[in-house]
Amino acid sequence: MPIITVQFIKDVVANEEQKRELIVKLTDTFISVVGEVARPYVYTIIQETPQMEWGIGGRPMPDLGFLIGPEYAGMHATANKIMGAVVEQAKAEAGPSVAEKDALAERMWLGGKDHE
């Protein structure tokens, strides 16, 4: 049986009417791909996590000030710098293997000096 699971934050993302609409539309989309034969077996589950029982970047949410503040923007900037360096390094290397690229990305992600 196919199970479609949607997870979001309680009382932040969708109201009761929207959740019902999601159930219908997600099922219909799934059926449009795999065929009507599967409809009786499609389960759609909406899992809601209470506020303050989830987090981003180590901060309990919702902390909207954090999401629009300099600390979170700095996290994005650092991650983008590291990933940009990984992409540039991979382009510069002639034919490295996937394992070598993964090892380089790991070193950079962990704060290695390769990306500075």
Side-chain angles (χ1 to χ4, degrees):
M1 90 184 113
I3 300 172
I4 301 168
T5 304
V6 180
Q7 296 179 298
F8 50 76
I9 308 311
K10 185 171 180 55
D11 301 324
V12 173
V13 175
N15 62 35
E16 296 303 314
E17 183 179 320
Q18 291 168 324
K19 288 186 267 186
R20 287 178 182 74
E21 185 176 350
L22 278 168
I23 291 169
V24 171
K25 289 186 175 183
L26 289 168
T27 301
D28 288 347
T29 300
F30 186 87
I31 295 305
S32 74
V33 174
V34 301
E36 198 62 41
V37 67
R39 185 175 296 277
Y41 310 107
V42 176
Y43 288 61
T44 304
I45 300 169
I46 295 177
Q47 297 176 334
E48 293 182 287
T49 300
Q51 294 182 36
M52 304 307 286
E53 292 187 15
W54 68 286
I56 296 176
R59 296 288 289 266
M61 289 289 129
D63 181 345
L64 301 179
F66 170 72
L67 290 176
I68 62 169
E71 184 180 354
Y72 192 55
M75 288 179 184
H76 276 280
T78 299
N80 286 339
K81 180 180 176 185
I82 293 167
M83 291 309 297
V86 169
V87 170
E88 290 306 313
Q89 184 70 30
K91 287 180 188 176
E93 293 178 3
S97 70
V98 171
E100 290 168 326
K101 289 178 187 176
D102 286 349
L104 174 63
E106 178 85 9
R107 285 194 316 274
M108 290 180 169
W109 186 257
L110 294 174
K113 300 292 183 192
D114 297 36
H115 65 282
E116 295 184 296

